[in-house]
Amino acid sequence: DSGIRSTASVQSSLVMYPIFKYGTEEQKKKYLPKLASGEMIGCFGLTEPDHGSNPGGMTSNFKDKGDHYLLNGAKLWISNSPFADIAVVWAKNEEGRIHGLIVERGMEGFSTPETHNKWSLRASATGELVFNNVKVPKENLL
């Protein structure tokens, strides 16, 4: 079933691999064992409402606020978002460079509305990632 494939491939390839490849040792220890066991579920935030999967047109952004980053923007058509514990999110910094950030469910200003009445992948939970002045700890930068 392609819905199950979406959940599994997002978890392993699009969430775990960036943490494994670009994460700090602390991030790897904190997230990878729980993601590998299924204790935590992740999602991957690249696709945007006005630009699809085109990173060059990305408008999601974060600003350095000293002890944290302030993240704003939105992602659309995100597998696992309605129930994911973390999101690996791609956004531009103030210089326009794209970086990954690990955003955790429960961070103030972070919401994950579910997409309903889809015509395909109906067995896959799909939704949005919405960032409204989300304070992301500096240690969550990939």
Side-chain angles (χ1 to χ4, degrees), residues 11-45:
Q11 180 84 347
S12 60
S13 298
L14 299 178
V15 176
M16 292 177 67
Y17 183 74
I19 295 171
F20 172 77
K21 179 75 175 173
Y22 304 109
T24 65
E25 285 306 311
E26 292 79 17
Q27 290 169 340
K28 292 174 189 180
K29 289 177 186 174
K30 180 176 181 180
Y31 298 112
L32 291 180
K34 291 180 180 179
L35 289 164
S37 71
E39 183 180 340
M40 289 182 91
I41 299 295
C43 65
F44 177 84

Side-chain angles (χ1 to χ4, degrees), residues 88-103:
V88 172
V89 175
W90 302 95
K92 290 182 179 177
N93 68 9
E94 293 164 280
E95 290 79 39
R97 292 198 61 213
I98 297 171
H99 291 271
L101 299 116
I102 301 170
V103 181

Side-chain angles (χ1 to χ4, degrees), residues 75 78 81-82 105 110-116 126-130:
K75 304 294 181 175
I78 307 300
S81 74
R105 181 168 299 284
F110 175 44
S111 61
T112 59
E114 187 169 2
T115 301
H116 296 283
T126 307
E128 301 174 46
L129 302 174
V130 180

Side-chain angles (χ1 to χ4, degrees), residues 7 14 18 26 51 55-56 67-68 72 84 95 106 110 121 127:
T7 297
L14 299 178
E26 292 79 17
H51 302 284
D67 64 339
H68 66 277
N72 283 286
E95 290 79 39
F110 175 44
L121 290 175

Side-chain angles (χ1 to χ4, degrees), residues 77 82 112-120 122 124-128:
W77 200 249
T112 59
E114 187 169 2
T115 301
H116 296 283
N117 301 316
K118 298 180 295 180
W119 288 14
S120 64
R122 291 172 33 185
S124 173
T126 307
E128 301 174 46

